[in-house]
Amino acid sequence: MKVLKFGGTSVGSVENMANVKSIIDNGEKKIVVLSAMSGTTNSLVAIAKAIENKDKTDALHAVNVLLDTYIPVLKTLLTDAALHTEATNYVNSRFDVLKAATSSTYTQVLENEILAQGELLSTFMFNCYLRQEGIASTLLPALDFMKTDAVKEPNFDAIAKDLSDILNTSEQADIYITQGFICLDVNGEVSNLQRGGSDYTATIIGAAIKAEEVQIWTDIDGMHNNDPRHVEGTKPISNLSFDEAAELAYFGAKILHPQTVLPVKKDGIPVRLKNTMDPEALGTSITHHHTETGIKAIAAKDTITAIKIKSGRMLQAHGFLKKVFEIFETYETSIDMITTSEVAVSLTIDDDSRLQEIVSDLETFASIEVDKNQSIVCLVGHAIVNDAGTHKLFQILRDVKIRMISYGGSNNNISLLVDTSNKIKTLQKLNSYLFDFATV
């Protein structure tokens, strides 16, 4: 059995839903994971924010505006009167939940329940559509089996057991539809896998059922060798290893959730990235295999903060770095890049929510410089630190001010830190050096 995940754009219109139906209706049994319709999650976030700000009027208005976008979709998608009525009643019940939430006191659990409505809506509507089209499909509610543990990580053993039980006892179908993103936490309350988490849901399910393959369907034909939003002429990459794909996803490639490949890597379950709008395009295959060495792709990660920790007296002292790292551990803040010199340590973080406390603790034994609005530009490929062509990337030093370079920490990754104002220029220059073979 395969697992196919379709993102918000893929189910963002009646036309796109018809494309998805054509893709999955091939006679093979499969589990289909759906995101919320494009734009819905952003609207739900805005509703939650208005509730947090105690602005009931704005929250209720946002609920009604969102409801108005679903009414024409229902009318066009479901021409069967009975199924249209069934889906309309369900949609209204979900929006009743949202309307009731506007009178509630904000909590994180309430926000999570609000955000869950998008996937509940899209899956119910799409399942009704498949039934209308004569396809044997049934819903598998993600909240019946997707669970996280005390540290907010997927509880893989519980998921595998519960999903197996559900599949064995549920109505037999050709296609099982379930929600991406949403889950229950260790206390049994509605939670989620963070934005983009539907990819993660798909590979968690893939690992749980030992799937033949996991397919991630979006609106682009695979992972590209650079960011197509900023660089012209980028090309899809036909093959990546799990390690290469994980590096690219973590460092900014928007097509994949950063943790997507982790659940399936152990069992070597292939992941394929495909384009809903162009199903015949080859896409990108992600497996254990390394097809070539050298730099394959470039990605960029924004909202990075650089911290320079300078202390001539302590830097060479035993335990100095341990003391630095313990502060970041205390405030549960991950470090992306780190470089050292005789008198300073520079590092980066992408979560600055505890920055004030971190800096305050560091200042007890060092002088601190903080630079915000930075971007990490990551170059990824198998064994790139040993490849004869890697030297070309260092031409960037003559064109762009580089704040930090991380080289040698990974065989598959070289990272540059630049001011975000220079990010696009950096991506374009590197593309020319490495892929266009143009004289710059």
Side-chain angles (χ1 to χ4, degrees), residues 408-422:
S410 164
N411 285 333
N412 302 321
N413 169 12
I414 298 172
S415 296
L416 313 174
L417 184 70
V418 300
D419 190 276
T420 299
S421 63
N422 289 324

Side-chain angles (χ1 to χ4, degrees), residues 307-317 320-321 324 338-347 362 365-369 403:
I307 304 171
K308 186 175 184 178
I309 306 162
K310 187 175 181 180
S311 178
R313 181 176 63 86
M314 290 188 64
L315 189 61
Q316 294 181 340
F320 175 77
L321 287 177
V324 170
I338 182 166
T339 62
T340 63
S341 70
E342 283 295 311
V343 294
V345 176
S346 291
L347 51 81
L362 289 171
F365 59 87
S367 61
I368 307 300
E369 297 177 17
R403 173 73 167 73

